[in-house]
Amino acid sequence: MVKIFIFVLLMLFTSYGFANAQHEYDSDTAENIQSIYWLTNTEDSAIVYSRFEGFFELRDLIDQTILAGIASSQIDGTSNSADKLLLMMPEQENILEILITDNHLIFNGLKYQMDSDLINRIKAMNDYRIEKGDLISQSMLTIAKERFGSKL
């Protein structure tokens, strides 16, 4: 009896660890995203998108690209120069990490093709916010990560 109990606990912890390591993106994921933190590859701070037009535009773009896009598992060295998007999902105590390059989104090791004009438009929106001084500090970003249940 004790062996069965230990085996069940071990299986639960193992499956929980794998579930957190790689989140399956499905049609309900976008509704669980409370905010998006955009970290450029040159900054150690972030722009926060939450409940305004830019947030919904960015969230819907990510959602449509991952759910309806064609994925490729071949990732080249461009991920080193990519911006990072942290999708905060507090109800699930989870943060999804997406990389954005000049023409791709990268999620869970898969690369999704995107229109470079569309990416340039949302990057211009982000650059405008940086120039305006909307960046949060690295310490505030760390607090937000901990609040959302992750130590990324």
Side-chain angles (χ1 to χ4, degrees):
M1 182 70 170
V2 172
K3 288 181 182 180
I4 293 172
F5 180 71
I6 292 172
F7 177 75
V8 169
L9 282 178
L10 182 62
M11 294 304 292
L12 285 173
F13 287 126
T14 303
S15 63
Y16 176 75
F18 285 129
N20 281 342
Q22 207 167 40
H23 177 84
E24 290 295 324
Y25 197 101
D26 57 32
S27 58
D28 293 329
T29 301
E31 292 302 317
N32 292 317
I33 299 169
Q34 181 177 343
S35 56
I36 300 171
Y37 287 64
W38 185 321
L39 293 80
T40 65
N41 62 353
T42 58
E43 299 288 336
D44 60 350
S45 50
I47 294 289
V48 181
Y49 292 90
S50 179
R51 304 298 171 214
F52 293 105
E53 184 177 333
F55 165 77
F56 292 108
E57 183 179 1
L58 188 55
R59 183 198 69 182
D60 293 346
L61 174 65
I62 293 166
D63 192 52
Q64 291 169 5
T65 301
I66 293 175
L67 292 178
I70 298 173
S72 165
S73 61
Q74 303 203 357
I75 299 174
D76 52 17
T78 59
S79 62
N80 295 335
S81 62
D83 290 355
K84 187 184 298 184
L85 304 175
L86 301 178
L87 312 180
M88 305 298 194
M89 300 173 35
E91 289 180 15
Q92 298 174 349
E93 294 184 353
N94 197 7
I95 299 174
L96 301 183
E97 183 177 304
I98 293 180
L99 300 177
I100 185 169
T101 67
D102 290 334
N103 54 1
H104 294 97
L105 284 182
I106 301 170
F107 177 67
N108 278 351
L110 297 175
K111 183 168 62 173
Y112 298 87
Q113 183 72 36
M114 286 187 64
D115 178 30
S116 58
D117 291 336
L118 188 55
I119 290 179
N120 289 335
R121 189 170 62 80
I122 63 169
K123 281 188 173 187
M125 172 182 65
N126 197 61
D127 290 341
Y128 171 75
R129 297 225 15 229
I130 290 171
E131 290 171 12
K132 223 173 87 170
D134 288 346
L135 285 166
I136 64 167
S137 67
Q138 179 66 32
S139 60
M140 292 299 292
L141 179 61
T142 301
I143 291 169
K145 288 178 187 177
E146 290 172 357
R147 190 177 117 220
F148 284 98
S150 178
K151 306 286 188 228
L152 280 176

